[in-house]
Amino acid sequence: MSNSNSYNPDLDWTQVRETSKMLILSAIQVEDMLNEADLSVNTLTESFTSIVEHMQAINTHLLALDSCKVRDEAIVCCSETTDKIQASIIAFQFYDRMQQCLQHVTSNLKGLSELVESPNRLYNPDEWRQFQSQIRSRYTMESEKLMFDAIVQGKSVNQALAIKNAHQEEDQSDNIELF
């Protein structure tokens, strides 16, 4: 690859190559943030696991004691805390979903960069259809596929989002899908 760039253009400079560089940069930035976020989520997961284990131990110790008002209130607190922890763990599903979506985005950006950078592929409609087919095949939720189809059909971003949102309202199971 040439050292030519928009600050130092030469005869080899092209908008396509500059576009490709910016697509790769965007993909790398998203991947880097996902890697950093994974460290935080792993710490939270380990912490929640430890808290659950400690709550179970506390509950076991309390159950071994003679029944009294304080013991019974403490058992209720353990139960409520365990429920809150379980709700928090379920909330982590959003992170899993977001991470999968962002991994798709980075993969798509890299693939688009490779396609745009290759003149033989750039001007070949079959290559574009194959690339679009690969993108669509990665989607696991029907709402994502509908949004993709809308964009490929030439609908506006707002129209595509409206289609996706309407489908999600019809099918709330998309919101709790595990990966």
Side-chain angles (χ1 to χ4, degrees):
M1 184 179 277
S2 169
N3 287 330
S4 175
N5 61 44
S6 61
Y7 294 103
N8 183 28
D10 61 19
L11 294 177
D12 195 38
W13 183 87
T14 68
Q15 298 91 340
V16 170
R17 189 174 299 112
E18 295 300 311
T19 300
S20 178
K21 289 176 186 177
M22 295 300 102
L23 291 170
I24 291 294
L25 174 63
S26 297
I28 291 169
Q29 288 173 316
V30 172
E31 278 182 342
D32 188 48
M33 287 309 300
L34 282 173
N35 290 336
E36 287 182 32
D38 275 346
L39 295 174
S40 294
V41 169
N42 288 342
T43 299
L44 286 169
T45 301
E46 290 171 9
S47 295
F48 277 120
T49 301
S50 178
I51 292 169
V52 167
E53 291 169 357
H54 283 87
M55 289 304 297
Q56 289 171 341
I58 291 168
N59 196 57
T60 300
H61 293 309
L62 289 170
L63 290 172
L65 299 174
D66 291 336
S67 183
C68 69
K69 183 179 177 184
V70 172
R71 182 206 114 179
D72 295 342
E73 288 174 359
I75 289 172
V76 169
C77 284
C78 282
S79 177
E80 290 173 357
T81 302
T82 299
D83 290 345
K84 294 289 185 188
I85 292 168
Q86 294 300 326
S88 298
I89 291 170
I90 290 169
F92 277 128
Q93 291 175 354
F94 168 79
Y95 175 78
D96 287 339
R97 184 172 166 185
M98 180 193 71
Q99 183 181 38
Q100 182 183 45
C101 178
L102 290 174
Q103 286 170 339
H104 290 165
V105 169
T106 60
S107 179
N108 296 346
L109 288 171
K110 288 176 180 178
L112 181 58
S113 176
E114 291 168 5
L115 184 104
V116 167
E117 206 170 66
S118 171
N120 294 336
R121 296 180 65 208
L122 177 62
Y123 299 105
N124 184 335
D126 290 334
E127 290 286 343
W128 282 94
R129 277 191 296 278
Q130 182 180 4
F131 178 61
Q132 290 170 343
S133 178
Q134 288 171 355
I135 290 173
R136 192 177 192 284
S137 72
R138 289 185 191 111
Y139 295 135
T140 58
M141 294 182 289
E142 189 62 26
S143 61
E144 293 173 314
K145 293 176 183 180
L146 291 171
M147 186 172 64
F148 174 87
D149 292 342
I151 291 294
V152 170
Q153 293 166 4
K155 296 200 181 342
S156 71
V157 170
N158 288 338
Q159 290 170 320
L161 286 171
I163 290 168
K164 174 187 173 270
N165 291 337
H167 179 76
Q168 282 183 326
E169 288 173 10
E170 290 173 17
D171 184 11
Q172 287 297 314
S173 66
D174 265 358
N175 292 327
I176 55 171
E177 193 167 324
L178 296 175
F179 302 105

